[in-house]
């Protein structure tokens, strides 16, 4: 906990989301305002948090459950066909810390009706909203920063007429329209919006790691036109603090992505988290 953002119970965060979703496009009712003031009282700084109330193990939150039959690019370890991604609902230090569990779906027989939840969550954006996935396989290309200077120059020249047709900047056309799809995805290429590309070697064997999964704040970009726009699901976002289509309720930083890198030689080697 950072002494600024008070941790809040998951039930309060879900209630807040329901109120904002129901009031979208209209003013809050007096009853809704009263409820929000109760579950989100005015803050004084620094926030005094009862740290002792959260001593001991804290349940992690489920982020994604992916089956190899649904996601061709998942590439699980031999004998495994299910990936479960969980994270801690607190900063470590600028994003949640994740755990990956590769499992055999046939061996998962004792399923809890109500999974355990943490007593509090540091940010509302760390509490994922349950969603049903509709996987769509696409083709994307590396960020321009990962290409040779010669190829970058060729792309600039090629982009001029293409960008003119869509009234876009030719210098950003490739990155916005072709190179990197926004939103949650498995595999593909990392986006380098806030940092330059950097090698991500496996800590166990030194193999160059690859993106396993991207956890994104938004399902579409601000300036990518309609090239990557998903089909909005009824009731999906917007939530407080989100400016675009957001079905999951997740927010990474102030609107970034969290890439999970894994070792292609051995997926069960320690993974790497990177926010871009």
């Amino acid at each position: 906990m950072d002494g600024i953002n008070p941790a809040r119970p998951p039930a309060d965060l879900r209630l807040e989301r329901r109120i904002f979703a129901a009031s979208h496009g209209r003013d809050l009712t007096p009853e809704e305002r009263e409820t929000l003031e109760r579950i989100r009282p005015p803050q004084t700084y620094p926030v005094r948090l009862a740290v002792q109330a959260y001593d001991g193990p804290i349940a992690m939150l489920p982020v994604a459950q992916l089956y190899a039959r649904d996601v061709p690019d998942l590439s699980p370890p031999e004998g495994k066909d299910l990936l479960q991604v969980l994270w801690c609902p607190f900063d470590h230090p600028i994003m949640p810390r994740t755990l990956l569990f590769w499992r055999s779906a046939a061996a998962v027989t004792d399923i809890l009706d109500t999974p355990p939840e943490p007593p509090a969550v540091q940010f509302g954006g760390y509490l994922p909203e349950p969603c049903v996935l509709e996987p769509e396989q696409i083709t994307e290309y590396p960020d321009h920063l990962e290409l040779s200077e010669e190829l970058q120059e060729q792309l600039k020249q090629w982009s001029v007429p293409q960008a003119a047709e869509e009234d876009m900047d030719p210098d950003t056309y490739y990155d916005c329209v072709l190179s990197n799809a926004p939103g949650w995805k498995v595999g593909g290429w990392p986006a380098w919006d806030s940092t330059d590309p950097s090698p991500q070697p496996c800590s166990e064997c030194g193999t160059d790691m690859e993106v396993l999964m991207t956890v994104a704040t938004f399902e579409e970009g601000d300036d990518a036109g309609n090239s990557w726009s998903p089909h909005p699901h009824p009731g999906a976002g917007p939530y407080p603090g989100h400016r675009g289509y957001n079905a999951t309720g997740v927010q990474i930083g102030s609107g970034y992505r969290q890439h999970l890198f894994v070792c292609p030689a051995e997926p069960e080697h320690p993974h790497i988290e990177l926010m871009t």
Side-chain angles (χ1 to χ4, degrees):
M1 291 172 281
D2 57 11
I4 297 177
N5 299 280
R8 300 164 59 198
D12 285 358
L13 293 171
R14 293 191 179 101
L15 176 57
E16 180 182 72
R17 287 180 179 176
R18 290 196 298 271
I19 290 174
F20 278 106
S23 63
H24 184 57
R26 63 168 174 80
D27 292 334
L28 292 167
T29 66
E31 293 78 9
E32 289 169 337
R33 292 184 184 279
E34 181 180 353
T35 300
L36 290 175
E37 290 174 0
R38 174 178 58 80
I39 64 176
R40 190 174 56 179
Q43 298 179 16
T44 57
Y45 299 94
V47 177
R48 301 302 179 185
L49 300 174
V51 177
Q52 67 274 12
Y54 309 122
D55 283 345
I58 294 180
M60 302 188 78
L61 289 168
V63 177
Q65 178 165 278
L66 305 173
Y67 292 88
R69 65 173 183 266
D70 299 324
V71 186
D73 294 327
L74 192 57
S75 301
E78 185 176 355
K80 308 294 178 63
D81 60 354
L82 170 64
L83 171 64
Q84 294 175 323
V85 183
L86 284 75
W87 70 19
C88 175
F90 292 87
D91 266 349
H92 290 271
I94 58 172
M95 56 184 166
R97 179 173 296 166
T98 55
L99 289 179
L100 308 181
F101 294 93
W102 296 98
R103 311 180 70 178
S104 167
V108 182
T109 56
D110 188 12
I111 301 175
L112 297 176
D113 292 332
T114 305
E117 285 195 332
V121 177
Q122 185 173 1
F123 298 107
Y126 290 176
L127 179 66
E129 189 76 10
C131 298
V132 176
L133 300 178
E134 296 181 13
E136 178 184 3
Q137 197 163 18
I138 62 172
T139 299
E140 63 174 17
Y141 300 93
D143 188 286
H144 80 279
L145 294 173
E146 296 195 65
L147 305 177
S148 67
E149 292 185 3
E150 179 182 0
L151 190 52
Q152 288 185 44
E153 185 58 34
Q154 291 178 6
L155 283 172
K156 282 184 180 180
Q157 299 301 320
W158 173 85
S159 296
V160 171
Q162 306 293 331
E165 291 182 7
E166 301 188 37
D167 194 25
M168 296 182 65
D169 184 347
D171 289 337
T172 59
Y173 180 81
Y174 170 78
D175 282 339
C176 290
V177 177
L178 297 176
S179 74
N180 200 278
W184 290 54
K185 60 187 179 183
V186 173
W189 297 90
W192 300 107
D193 296 338
S194 58
T195 182
D196 288 339
S198 58
Q200 304 297 327
C202 175
S203 61
E204 293 285 334
C205 65
T207 302
D208 287 338
M209 303 184 86
E210 299 177 351
V211 175
L212 166 71
M213 177 180 172
T214 298
V215 177
T217 300
F218 305 111
E219 288 301 310
E220 56 188 4
D222 290 337
D223 52 4
N226 295 318
S227 61
W228 299 114
S229 296
H231 299 291
H233 189 279
Y239 298 114
H242 297 280
R243 65 181 183 274
Y245 174 52
N246 177 272
T248 64
V250 165
Q251 181 169 349
I252 302 298
S254 57
Y256 295 100
R257 303 174 177 93
Q258 182 176 5
H259 297 301
L260 307 182
F261 289 81
V262 294
C263 176
E266 179 47 70
E268 293 182 300
H269 281 173
H271 69 287
I272 294 175
E273 301 152 347
L274 186 66
M275 185 171 74
T276 67

